[in-house]
Amino acid sequence: MAITLNHTIVPAHDKEASARFFAQMFGLAYRGPAGHFAPVQVNDTLTLDFDDRDRFESHHYAFQVSEAEFDAIFGRLQAAGLPYGSSPWSLADRHLNHWHGGRGVYFRDANGHVLELLTRP
């Protein structure tokens, strides 16, 4: 059996607002809280469990997506008017990167977490 990441806790100032934002940007469903968490099912094996915290460090979450998914998510990012950039050290240069033959972009959520989209042929 292959090892897969099943879920991870994403600290947030407002777990439900954060789950809704993530789901909206990534074209996923948010169905409301489940127990203590505000979960978003990313794929068949991974759930992000958003959880309220007063203080936390910024995390980096990277998602490999298809070209079509990249276009859709990037379109929603642009429509929302959010800053984006080509690298973790250039989060607002409004450029994409083309590392490893694909495309990539970085942006922050309201909690300061850095979200990365990348494609690879």
Side-chain angles (χ1 to χ4, degrees):
M1 177 176 162
I3 296 172
T4 59
L5 180 63
N6 177 270
H7 68 277
T8 192
I9 296 171
V10 180
H13 297 295
D14 180 335
K15 66 185 176 188
E16 288 201 65
S18 297
R20 280 191 297 274
F21 170 82
F22 181 84
Q24 178 185 5
M25 285 294 111
F26 282 75
L28 302 169
Y30 171 59
R31 293 179 172 82
H36 181 75
F37 300 107
V40 177
Q41 186 79 37
V42 176
N43 57 39
D44 290 341
T45 63
L46 176 62
T47 302
L48 297 184
D49 288 332
F50 292 85
D51 187 22
D52 286 333
R53 302 278 171 85
D54 291 329
R55 295 176 36 187
F56 51 85
E57 294 182 14
S58 172
H59 296 174
H60 175 184
Y61 300 96
F63 300 91
Q64 185 170 354
V65 297
S66 70
E67 291 290 337
E69 290 165 328
F70 186 97
D71 290 339
I73 297 165
F74 186 59
R76 288 189 287 273
L77 174 65
Q78 290 179 303
L82 295 173
Y84 62 88
S86 58
S87 70
W89 54 88
S90 298
L91 290 167
D93 65 10
R94 302 191 73 75
H95 293 286
L96 303 178
N97 70 54
H98 298 280
W99 301 336
H100 310 291
R103 293 185 291 166
V105 67
Y106 296 77
F107 62 101
R108 286 192 187 275
D109 71 4
N111 299 294
H113 299 308
V114 176
L115 304 177
E116 177 185 0
L117 300 177
L118 59 108
T119 66
R120 295 211 174 111

